[in-house]
Every structure is written in C-alpha cells, then in structure tokens.
Amino acid sequence: MQERKKGKYSGDNVLGKGIAALTVTVLLLAGCGDAGSAEEKVDSDAVVESAENADLAEISGAAETSTAEESAGGAEETLSEKEDGASLTEEPTDAEEKKPVTMAELLGESKKTQQEGAELPETILWFNATYAPLTYSNGWDWRLLAGREPTEENKESSRDLLDYSWNVKDRESALETTAKLLKDGHRKKCIDDTKQMEEWGILELGEEEFVEQLLTKELDDEPGRYAVAYLFHRAGIEPEYMAAWDLCRVNQLYADYYFCGYMSYEEAMDASLANSLVLQELYGSWEEMVEAYLLGYRFWQGDPIVDEYGYDSPTQERRHYYEMLQEMEDGPYTLDWNMELKKSW
C-alpha cells in the first residue's frame, strides 16, 4: 500500500507547542481578550493573499460550486462559541414496524437509507471528530451528526444559535459564512493585526514595552488578539498554520446546516469530504490538527495568558476537553487520521 504523505504542517513544521509557555507580562491584557460568548461574523471582503492558502481557495470554490448547482431553484464557529445536531435513527413506537430510516428522511428528504440503529459511516465520524471538543464541551454526542438527536426542539435551538452566533438565517447566509471561513477566517484577521503592529513599529518590542505601546493605539480588534498575534510572531508561528481552527468550524457548520435544513444531506457531506481532505493534507495527525486548532481558538479568544495550569484560560479549558476525548475508549481520536476518506452516503 502506498504510504500517505505527511501533512504540510507535520513533524518539524509543528510550531504550536512552543507558544504555551509565553506570557504577556502586563496582566491587564488577560481581561482584554474577551471575544464574547458568541462567534463573531467574519470579514466580508477578504481574498486569498498567498500561495500558502491556494489549497483552501480550491476547497472554497468546490463548496460554492457544489451548493450553487443545487440552489438553482432558490437561495442557498453552529453554534455559539462556547461554539456547536443529530442521530441517524429514531426509535419507532411499539405499534410501528422497524424500517430503514435516515436523517435525510427525518428532515423530509428522500436520500439513501441507513439501517435503524446503525452507526454513521466512518468517514462521517471522522468529520465529527474534527469538531468533537466543541461537541463534548456542550455535553453532546460526537457520534451524532452535529451532536444531537434531530428533534424539532433541537433543530429550532440550533437555528437560533446559528442566527445569534454567525448571523446565519437561511441557506444564502449559511453558504456565505462558510465561503468566508474557507477563504480567510481568523487567519486573515491575524495577518491583518500583525501587519498593523508592524506599521506601528511595536512588533519587535519587548513584552512590557509592547503592552505599553499597544494600549496607546486606536485598535480595530480586541487588544488580546493583538497580544496573541504578537506572541505568535515571536514564536515564529505563521497565521496560516492555524487554518485548522477555521476548517474544523467549517465541518461543524456543514453538519449544522444540514441539521437546520439549509443544506441537503448529500451536499453537506460532499462539502465536508472536500474540506476534510484539505485538513489531511495540511496536518499529519490528530494531535497536530488540534494544536493548530487551539492556536486559532486562542487567537479568537484573545487569550494571551496561558500558563502550565491554565485555570483562567479558555484555551486550556478547550485543550482539556480534547485530552478527555483522547482518553475515551472508542473515542473520536481512536479513528485513523490517515484513513481513506470516501463518499459513503
């Protein structure tokens, strides 16, 4: 069997592990990075700025093409970020005969069938694993698509959360949101903040002087995000490395879009497959992907103070969920990172 190539950010390219010990010396910034309890909207006029993101641009185009084909008759990081629902099955009443049923059928579609009680295909479980720490932090089940049973109450709450967290109200706004994440996401925001600090002449200052100077500036972003971008720069971490933060949320959103009726089952899974193949190309293992994801989460939170214990650190809390999932028997990270992802729906 031909050996799969390592991810672009695997092995010696993994830079995330050195950042955890860095701190900004003025504790004032520890409280400045509150990005809020809900996911912010992504900038709207972004473009792919470097060849580093060419593969992300391709997947963005593929997703838009796929959904555009199915939306000819209508309009085309989902839940809040304390971030992200549904099973393939529903228990029949005693009077009903058991029969094959799918999530698609539960939502009024007539797609492929799945045997009552059967697990999701491994490829879809792999998709679920990319956003499992969020699912787990919400107290949901990573083995269910989007984390929850497809009850009307759950679907309605998911629609409300998509609206509140992402300003997603319908198919059109849903597709616009994932397209922006695929093109730019917080990678672009981190690049912009770093360029701004370079223009101010504060990027190469020591920590104490950096903080003093930063607090004199008129800021276009959360102060804590500038501090995290500064720490990334000092550690040699390129913003593109944290692409996992944006791409894992894209998989989460596709599942939520299906759950809420904004995408069909097949198109949501097709888009997740294309997105997940990019993740496999970028990273060489679950550990590497999660390290990159946590860097992006840290930037989003504006979380500059991350110590060994992390009692007050949202980033360390999110890492803790990942570590619990790692230890789970038959958990998401027992799946082979390098499994062949293929269409099975």
Side-chain angles (χ1 to χ4, degrees), residues 93-114:
T93 65
D94 293 338
E96 292 176 326
E97 179 184 356
K98 288 191 176 184
K99 60 182 180 180
V101 61
T102 66
M103 282 185 67
E105 290 171 331
L106 290 172
L107 292 176
E109 300 172 8
S110 57
K111 298 292 184 183
K112 301 180 187 297
T113 60
Q114 177 85 15

Side-chain angles (χ1 to χ4, degrees), residues 10 26 28 32 35 99 121 150 157 170 214 312 344:
S10 63
V26 178
L28 174 63
C32 287
K99 60 182 180 180
S157 70
D170 50 27
L214 179 64
D312 298 318
S344 52

Side-chain angles (χ1 to χ4, degrees), residues 111-338:
K111 298 292 184 183
K112 301 180 187 297
T113 60
Q114 177 85 15
Q115 185 64 39
E116 177 93 17
E119 272 195 347
L120 289 167
E122 276 205 333
T123 292
I124 297 180
L125 289 176
W126 198 99
F127 303 161
N128 290 3
T130 63
Y131 57 92
L134 170 61
T135 305
Y136 196 57
S137 72
N138 284 327
W140 301 344
D141 186 348
W142 77 274
R143 289 187 171 276
L144 302 180
L145 192 58
R148 295 190 288 176
E149 297 286 350
T151 65
E152 287 303 321
E153 181 180 2
N154 285 342
K155 286 185 278 186
E156 185 60 33
S157 70
S158 290
R159 292 187 193 101
D160 289 343
L161 283 166
L162 280 173
D163 187 3
Y164 173 72
S165 302
W166 295 90
N167 200 25
V168 166
K169 304 175 185 296
D170 50 27
R171 178 180 174 87
E172 182 178 7
S173 57
L175 295 184
E176 287 176 354
T177 296
T178 45
K180 292 167 189 173
L181 278 174
L182 288 165
K183 284 183 176 180
D184 300 312
H186 282 105
R187 310 184 303 285
K188 175 63 161 50
K189 175 59 77 175
C190 188
I191 290 169
D192 290 345
D193 288 355
T194 303
K195 287 180 177 178
Q196 182 68 78
M197 290 186 290
E198 186 175 20
E199 290 175 7
W200 288 333
I202 67 174
L203 198 56
E204 305 302 331
L205 297 178
E207 289 186 7
E208 291 187 13
E209 189 177 0
F210 164 78
V211 173
E212 291 173 1
Q213 290 297 315
L214 179 64
L215 295 180
T216 68
K217 306 299 182 184
E218 184 175 341
L219 306 180
D220 295 328
D221 201 359
E222 296 286 339
R225 287 189 186 153
Y226 285 98
V228 173
Y230 164 81
L231 293 175
F232 287 179
H233 174 75
R234 287 188 53 160
I237 297 173
E238 296 294 334
E240 288 85 358
Y241 174 69
M242 67 183 196
W245 164 245
D246 295 316
L247 299 187
C248 290
R249 291 183 301 152
V250 165
N251 273 355
Q252 169 214 329
L253 283 166
Y254 285 145
D256 290 332
Y257 291 171
Y258 166 60
F259 191 64
C260 295
Y262 300 148
M263 294 179 78
S264 72
Y265 180 63
E266 184 170 9
E267 69 176 330
M269 295 305 98
D270 285 350
S272 296
L273 175 58
N275 185 55
S276 296
L277 290 171
V278 172
L279 280 167
Q280 280 187 327
E281 288 297 313
L282 290 178
Y283 307 100
S285 66
W286 288 116
E287 181 181 7
E288 290 164 8
M289 186 207 78
V290 172
E291 287 294 334
Y293 167 90
L294 288 171
L295 287 176
Y297 179 79
R298 182 179 180 182
F299 175 75
W300 175 72
Q301 282 281 357
D303 185 14
I305 311 298
V306 178
D307 59 23
E308 180 181 355
Y309 303 101
Y311 294 123
D312 298 318
S313 167
T315 306
Q316 292 295 68
E317 181 181 8
R318 183 57 57 91
R319 180 186 293 279
H320 181 56
Y321 288 123
Y322 165 66
E323 290 170 348
M324 287 191 290
L325 287 165
Q326 264 190 317
E327 296 172 2
M328 185 183 295
E329 185 177 348
D330 200 29
Y333 304 114
T334 62
L335 293 170
D336 180 9
W337 170 263
N338 288 319

Side-chain angles (χ1 to χ4, degrees), residues 64-98:
E64 292 179 276
T65 300
S66 170
T67 52
E69 288 174 353
E70 295 207 20
S71 63
E76 176 116 267
E77 287 207 189
T78 286
L79 306 178
S80 63
E81 214 350 297
K82 256 193 152 185
E83 275 178 326
D84 312 301
S87 168
L88 289 180
T89 64
E90 255 183 12
E91 287 296 326
T93 65
D94 293 338
E96 292 176 326
E97 179 184 356
K98 288 191 176 184

